[in-house]
């Protein structure tokens, strides 16, 4: 099959980019695969990519940032989408032309705004698959209503957790659209597993408020007080760096807690530790949890929506603690810090349990999904509607009305604010 991915910016750093590259590389030995990057801002991608995967940018910001069309707002990409400010009349034009001339059997969008383009402009003879790398509940009401309007034109929608797939089935009416959970995959590490005797806790991700690294640092203060020989290393960059640095200094943890900056090859950093940590208020999946576990680190994580509870088996490969609970987090970390045997046992559990995220079974699931949908499309048979029950339709209608009311209220508030300026 000819398979095309539509990606926001393949030249950046992020979980969606990483998992798209992983999936494309796994498919390319048996299929013709390309990644279409709407934006490009540098010569080469940050992540390596199999040369057999074609990479095609649509808008090069290095030379087209000042194009007059790029200064006009987008009309197709939804205004309520998080990345809207980066889209424009120029991206509208390039995406539309690309999709109109695309010769592919399967086209996969990788974020809601691009899924809207795909639903409205995707080649009708191709299988159209929208991917959700965040969650339905994370989207603003205005965006959810836009998705309700156009997503029925897709052939399938994949989510990274079963919980989010259930949310789409419960809150959206998508007759004939196949909704399926397709977790992100993480390849097996090329390095030997982490040494459980290492006295290092590792965390990784963007330094932004939702990751709650301030909570992790405050909780680690308790660990450092009892076990000053232990370190916390936080990898990533972002807007919270200065605030976190000030907190480290305020708590006197400059000999125990270190902001390590970004590390494109995190595998080499995970294996230096013996415990992984995640303190997010929200995680659509939890890619770093799987990465840490695949390197042999048990993970202490907040039990936030939606991913951690589907990834971690408490007592076997890590611990789950309530969101925002500094005391519970500190106790869970200390339990592993102070118990070498438990840490070693959970390390082995992490290695074993994380194998379910190996690319092989996940690629097989994705390939099976694409093949089945392609066969239906090629046969000319109509998509099968599951016929939502009356009760389910009423629930969907309730969510629609509620989101419409919220969206209208937000629009009215913006109008009032503009009028008061």
């Amino acid at each position: 099959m000819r398979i095309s991915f539509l990606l926001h910016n393949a030249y950046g750093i992020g979980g969606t980019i990483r998992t798209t590259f992983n999936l494309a590389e796994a498919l390319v030995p048996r299929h013709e695969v390309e990644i279409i990057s709407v934006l490009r801002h540098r010569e080469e991608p940050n992540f390596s990519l199999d040369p057999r995967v074609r990479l095609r940018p649509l808008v090069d910001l290095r030379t087209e940032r000042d194009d007059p069309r790029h200064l006009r707002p987008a009309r197709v990409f939804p205004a309520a989408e998080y990345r809207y400010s980066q889209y424009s009349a120029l991206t509208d034009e390039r995406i539309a032309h690309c999709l109109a001339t695309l010769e592919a059997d399967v086209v996969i969008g990788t974020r809601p705004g691009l899924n809207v383009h795909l639903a409205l402009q995707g080649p009708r003879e191709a299988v159209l698959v929208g991917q959700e790398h965040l969650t339905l509940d994370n989207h603003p009401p205005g965006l959810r209503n836009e998705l309700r309007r156009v997503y029925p034109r897709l052939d399938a929608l994949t989510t990274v957790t079963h919980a989010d797939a259930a949310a789409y089935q419960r809150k959206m009416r998508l007759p004939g659209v196949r909704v399926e959970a397709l977790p992100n995959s993480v390849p097996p590490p090329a390095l030997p597993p982490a040494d459980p005797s290492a006295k290092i806790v590792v965390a990784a991700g963007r330094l932004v408020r939702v990751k709650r690294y301030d909570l992790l640092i405050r909780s680690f203060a308790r660990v450092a007080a009892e076990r000053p020989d232990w370190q916390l290393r936080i990898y990533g960059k972002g807007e919270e760096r200065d605030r976190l640095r000030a907190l480290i200094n305020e708590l006197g943890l400059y000999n125990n807690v270190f902001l390590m900056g970004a590390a494109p090859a995190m595998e080499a950093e995970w294996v230096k530790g013996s415990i992984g940590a995640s303190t997010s208020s929200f995680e659509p999946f939890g890619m770093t949890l799987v990465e840490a576990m695949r390197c042999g680190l048990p993970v202490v994580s907040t039990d936030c929506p939606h991913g951690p509870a589907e990834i971690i088996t408490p007592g076997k490969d890590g611990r789950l603690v309530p969101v925002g609970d500094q005391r519970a987090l500190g106790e869970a970390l200390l339990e592993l810090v102070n118990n070498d045997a438990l840490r070693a046992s959970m390390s082995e559990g992490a290695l074993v349990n994380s194998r379910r995220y190996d690319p092989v079974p996940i690629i097989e699931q994705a390939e099976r999904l694409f093949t089945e949908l392609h066969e239906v499309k090629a046969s000319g048979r109509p998509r099968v509607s599951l016929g939502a029950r009356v009760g389910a339709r009423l629930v969907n209608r309730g969510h629609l009305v509620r989101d419409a009311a919220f969206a209208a209220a937000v629009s009215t508030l913006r109008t009032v604010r503009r009028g008061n300026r």
Side-chain angles (χ1 to χ4, degrees), residues 6-12 17 35-42 55-62 64-65 70 77 83-88 90-92 94-95 114:
L6 187 59
L7 191 61
H8 169 65
N9 188 341
Y11 298 83
I17 302 168
I35 294 175
I36 301 164
S37 179
V38 176
L39 301 177
R40 178 184 189 173
H41 69 287
R42 53 180 293 165
L55 180 58
R56 175 158 59 115
L58 300 182
V59 175
D60 194 328
L61 296 176
R62 297 172 301 173
E64 298 182 288
R65 189 180 297 274
H70 196 52
F77 196 92
R83 294 285 187 182
Y84 178 71
S85 63
Q86 295 177 260
Y87 285 76
S88 63
L90 180 59
T91 60
D92 273 0
R94 296 282 171 82
I95 295 171
L114 296 180

Side-chain angles (χ1 to χ4, degrees), residues 94-372:
R94 296 282 171 82
I95 295 171
H97 180 265
C98 170
L99 292 175
T101 58
L102 190 60
E103 296 182 358
D105 298 305
V106 181
V107 189
I108 304 159
T110 56
R111 64 177 308 111
L114 296 180
N115 294 341
V116 169
H117 271 281
L118 189 60
L120 297 176
Q121 302 169 329
R124 293 299 105 186
E125 67 280 1
V127 171
L128 307 180
V129 180
Q131 287 185 343
E132 176 62 89
H133 287 277
L134 293 173
T135 69
L136 176 63
D137 291 341
N138 185 243
H139 300 319
L143 180 58
R144 289 198 293 264
N145 278 337
E146 177 68 4
L147 302 186
R148 283 189 179 91
R149 183 178 72 85
V150 304
Y151 270 16
R153 303 188 188 196
L154 297 173
D155 295 291
L157 175 70
T158 67
T159 63
V160 291
T161 64
H162 293 282
D164 197 40
Y168 266 99
Q169 292 164 338
R170 186 173 66 255
K171 298 179 180 180
M172 306 274 275
R173 188 155 187 264
L174 303 173
V177 179
R178 185 164 166 178
V179 179
E180 190 166 312
L182 184 68
N184 292 331
S185 66
V186 176
L191 299 173
D195 181 354
S197 67
K199 298 178 179 180
I200 298 171
V201 177
V202 181
R206 293 175 299 123
L207 305 185
V208 292
R209 285 187 181 272
V210 72
K211 299 295 185 181
R212 290 304 313 270
Y213 288 121
D214 59 322
L215 179 71
L216 177 57
I217 292 168
R218 292 183 186 279
S219 298
F220 194 79
R222 182 175 174 184
V223 176
E226 286 193 30
R227 297 293 301 273
D229 52 337
W230 275 73
Q231 292 183 2
L232 168 62
R233 298 180 182 178
I234 301 174
Y235 292 85
K237 59 182 181 180
E239 65 211 33
E240 288 282 284
R241 182 178 178 83
D242 290 344
R243 191 171 79 92
L244 296 175
R245 169 58 59 196
L247 178 60
I248 292 168
N249 291 335
E250 175 191 331
L251 297 176
L253 295 174
Y254 32 78
N255 290 324
N256 298 93
V257 179
F258 302 92
L259 302 180
M260 307 295 291
M266 262 308 296
E267 183 179 300
E269 308 307 323
W270 287 122
V271 298
K272 295 175 184 175
S274 63
I275 302 171
S278 175
T279 47
S280 297
S281 298
F282 164 81
E283 281 287 354
F285 176 64
M287 193 78 159
T288 59
L289 305 184
V290 181
E291 289 178 347
M293 291 167 66
R294 294 227 69 180
C295 290
L297 275 67
V299 179
V300 175
S301 172
T302 46
D303 189 11
C304 63
H306 283 275
E310 292 190 15
I311 296 170
I312 295 171
T313 304
K316 301 292 186 181
D317 50 30
R319 292 285 190 227
L320 291 172
V321 301
V323 174
D325 193 328
Q326 180 180 321
R327 179 178 178 181
L329 180 62
E331 289 175 352
L333 288 170
L334 270 174
E335 178 189 29
L336 283 171
V337 164
N338 288 327
N339 192 327
D340 295 346
L342 178 63
R343 200 164 63 249
S345 171
M346 284 194 179
S347 173
E348 184 60 32
L351 287 170
V352 172
N353 293 345
S354 62
R355 287 174 191 159
R356 68 189 188 277
Y357 295 104
D358 187 85
V360 173
I362 292 173
I363 296 310
E364 288 175 349
Q365 180 188 350
E367 206 164 12
R368 185 166 57 252
L369 172 66
F370 300 156
T371 300
E372 290 172 0

Side-chain angles (χ1 to χ4, degrees), residues 69-82:
R69 291 167 295 177
H70 196 52
L71 303 178
R72 299 202 305 270
R75 294 188 178 275
V76 180
F77 196 92
E81 224 267 35
Y82 169 66

